[in-house]
Amino acid sequence: MIEMIAFDADDTLWHNEVYYHNAQEELKEILAEWAQADTVAEQLNILEMRNLPLYGYGVKAFVLSMIKTAFLVSEGQMRGETIERILSIGRSMLEAEIVLHHHVAETLQTLSQAYSLMIITKGDLLDQTNKIERSGLRDYFSLVEIVNDKTADSYRRILSKYHLNLKNFLMIGNSLRSDILPILQLGGKAVLIPADTTWEHEMVPDFDKLQSGFFEITEMCQLPDLIASIS
């Protein structure tokens, strides 16, 4: 029987990846005098992947990778105003309106009457905390965990920390790599709600959707009926 339902935040409860996509498009325009758009995108992706172990996830790490991209593609010729424009992009991302996905608020309202809910999200602590507070959803969740990364070990630590039984735990998210696969590796249950836009790093091309414990729906409003059938 399901007792605790955990939700990813970015791109599960609210839109997020679209802001990164738009920022990348702005960066291409800023650096157009030095490089083709494809070159900028490729260099930025390389740096993001290289910097993840050191910078982690989130807007601030992304901005550092954008600045380094500008330095490399301009061969050090970028001007101070270029850095200022990139920093302005980052600030706009941090201050962006929190736009909930369809049916999120009413679904959480329904589920909170019968289950305990928590958030497990990764990224910058301050940024993620601010987004959760500004979303208007904080009161639905009894627990919030913000982690540097989502792995089987990090989920195992969270389960142990709160004395949660994996058999009674359900994870909801949009990312196969971060929200779904680690829980299935532990022998638990997880529900995928695909987002309109997903970062390439979060994809798992060879994922087996027929494996035990995996469920997939297209809309958040389908979740209560699915959970009832699992329970």
Side-chain angles (χ1 to χ4, degrees):
M1 178 178 178
I2 302 301
E3 295 178 356
M4 175 64 77
I5 305 172
F7 289 82
D8 168 57
D10 291 337
D11 291 310
T12 297
L13 300 178
W14 51 71
H15 294 275
N16 181 66
E17 185 60 25
V18 63
Y19 297 116
Y20 286 85
H21 173 76
N22 292 342
Q24 181 171 290
E25 293 305 307
E26 288 188 60
L27 183 67
K28 291 175 183 177
E29 293 181 11
I30 292 172
L31 302 180
E33 65 178 289
W34 293 296
Q36 296 291 323
D38 289 348
T39 299
V40 174
E42 180 181 3
Q43 184 63 69
L44 178 59
N45 181 64
I46 290 172
L47 287 172
E48 281 190 277
M49 295 301 100
R50 184 184 302 164
N51 291 335
L52 275 178
L54 184 61
Y55 296 162
Y57 297 85
V59 173
K60 295 170 188 175
F62 183 65
V63 168
L64 288 173
S65 293
M66 285 199 293
I67 292 173
K68 184 65 174 181
T69 296
F71 178 82
L72 291 176
V73 302
S74 71
E75 297 182 342
Q77 298 178 34
M78 67 176 189
R79 299 172 290 275
E81 65 186 51
T82 302
I83 298 177
E84 177 59 30
R85 291 179 67 184
I86 294 173
L87 291 173
S88 179
I89 293 173
R91 185 177 184 88
S92 295
M93 293 174 71
L94 291 170
E95 296 176 340
E97 178 186 3
I98 305 299
V99 180
L100 301 181
H101 280 293
H102 294 309
H103 313 296
V104 165
E106 54 265 44
T107 299
L108 294 179
Q109 170 66 30
T110 297
L111 292 174
S112 65
Q113 297 175 17
Y115 305 95
S116 295
L117 308 182
M118 71 181 300
I119 287 178
I120 302 177
T121 187
K122 68 181 180 184
D124 178 79
L125 177 62
L126 180 59
D127 184 24
Q128 294 300 90
T129 300
N130 285 340
K131 283 193 286 188
I132 292 169
E133 294 297 332
R134 290 191 292 125
S135 72
L137 303 176
R138 180 62 182 87
D139 289 346
Y140 291 121
F141 300 99
S142 58
L143 301 172
V144 173
E145 281 288 322
I146 300 171
V147 297
N148 292 325
D149 201 359
K150 290 179 176 178
T151 64
D153 284 342
S154 64
Y155 281 109
R156 187 183 291 111
R157 286 193 293 270
I158 291 171
L159 291 168
S160 175
K161 177 180 178 179
Y162 295 109
H163 307 289
L164 299 173
N165 188 331
L166 183 63
K167 294 180 179 179
N168 307 124
F169 178 85
L170 182 66
M171 182 69 200
I172 317 296
N174 72 289
S175 167
L176 285 172
R177 181 175 302 279
S178 295
D179 306 318
I180 308 301
L181 192 57
I183 291 295
L184 298 183
Q185 290 173 339
L186 294 176
K189 297 179 284 290
V191 179
L192 176 70
I193 308 179
D196 294 334
T197 304
T198 301
W199 186 23
E200 184 179 357
H201 174 71
E202 298 294 339
M203 297 180 182
V204 183
D206 57 350
F207 181 79
D208 178 14
K209 292 190 175 184
L210 298 179
Q211 60 186 292
S212 176
F214 174 74
F215 305 89
E216 182 174 358
I217 55 179
T218 58
E219 295 282 349
M220 182 69 75
C221 60
Q222 299 170 324
L223 192 54
D225 286 343
L226 174 63
I227 293 174
S229 69
I230 296 174
S231 299

